[in-house]
Amino acid sequence: MTEARRHRRHIDRHGRGMLGPISRPSSFAPRGLPLQRSTAAQFDEVVAIEVTRLEKRLPQVVARVEFAIEDVPNLDAHAGEIPLTHSTGGTSHEPYRIVVFRRPIELRAERSGAGLAWLVRSALVLELADVLALSPEQIDPDFDAEED
């Protein structure tokens, strides 16, 4: 085996991503279009799709809520269960704010075998129902807490 061929085969052994002509802008990967999106970008897209879906169903309700995404919750050392979402606000001066935590949802989706989109949807529906004092079925008539 030649030295060049061996080097090409191990070019990504340190996890630095793709190198070489295919990693540069070309007809295969035009400028601004990454060859592979990060998991954070994929998660952001899933949350945006679910929020848009809820907004179409209940525009007046979702208009009163701000959504945000954080990687992990800020917990003390003695926290029991790790939350998937957190809500604040809801006073007359500020809207409700629902924060979705990316890593706990991704890890729970991997562990349970549930789909990421389903878990994000469930977390958002349950948090909205809790914040607005409604049942999950009022937020989303298709809601099923036991779906896999």
Side-chain angles (χ1 to χ4, degrees):
M1 181 182 303
T2 66
E3 184 65 31
R5 186 172 183 183
R6 187 170 5 138
H7 177 70
R8 215 175 284 153
R9 198 173 65 181
H10 297 288
I11 204 152
D12 193 24
R13 71 174 180 241
H14 296 291
R16 294 188 187 116
M18 291 182 59
L19 303 173
I22 192 142
S23 65
R24 296 186 191 108
S26 68
S27 60
F28 294 113
R31 185 172 305 283
L33 181 64
L35 291 175
Q36 183 176 8
R37 292 187 339 224
S38 68
T39 55
Q42 292 172 3
F43 185 83
D44 292 352
E45 184 179 342
V46 168
V47 171
I49 289 168
E50 293 303 323
V51 167
T52 302
R53 191 183 61 73
L54 287 170
E55 193 172 37
K56 286 179 183 175
R57 187 178 297 267
L58 299 167
Q60 298 85 7
V61 172
V62 177
R64 298 178 7 213
V65 179
E66 238 178 50
F67 295 90
I69 299 171
E70 290 184 12
D71 284 339
V72 293
N74 214 358
L75 300 174
D76 61 355
H78 304 293
E81 186 176 327
I82 297 173
L84 303 180
T85 58
H86 176 71
S87 60
T88 59
T91 64
S92 60
H93 299 4
E94 63 180 329
Y96 290 106
R97 179 179 167 91
I98 295 178
V99 179
V100 180
F101 298 115
R102 180 177 67 87
R103 289 300 295 151
I105 289 178
E106 287 176 341
L107 292 173
R108 196 161 302 165
E110 287 174 15
R111 220 177 294 132
S112 68
L116 183 65
W118 176 84
L119 199 53
V120 167
R121 177 181 172 202
S122 296
L124 285 173
V125 167
L126 289 172
E127 193 66 34
L128 267 174
D130 187 46
V131 162
L132 301 172
L134 299 170
S135 73
E137 290 77 19
Q138 289 174 303
I139 300 292
D140 184 358
D142 301 329
F143 180 74
D144 181 13
E146 301 300 320
E147 188 175 309
D148 264 341

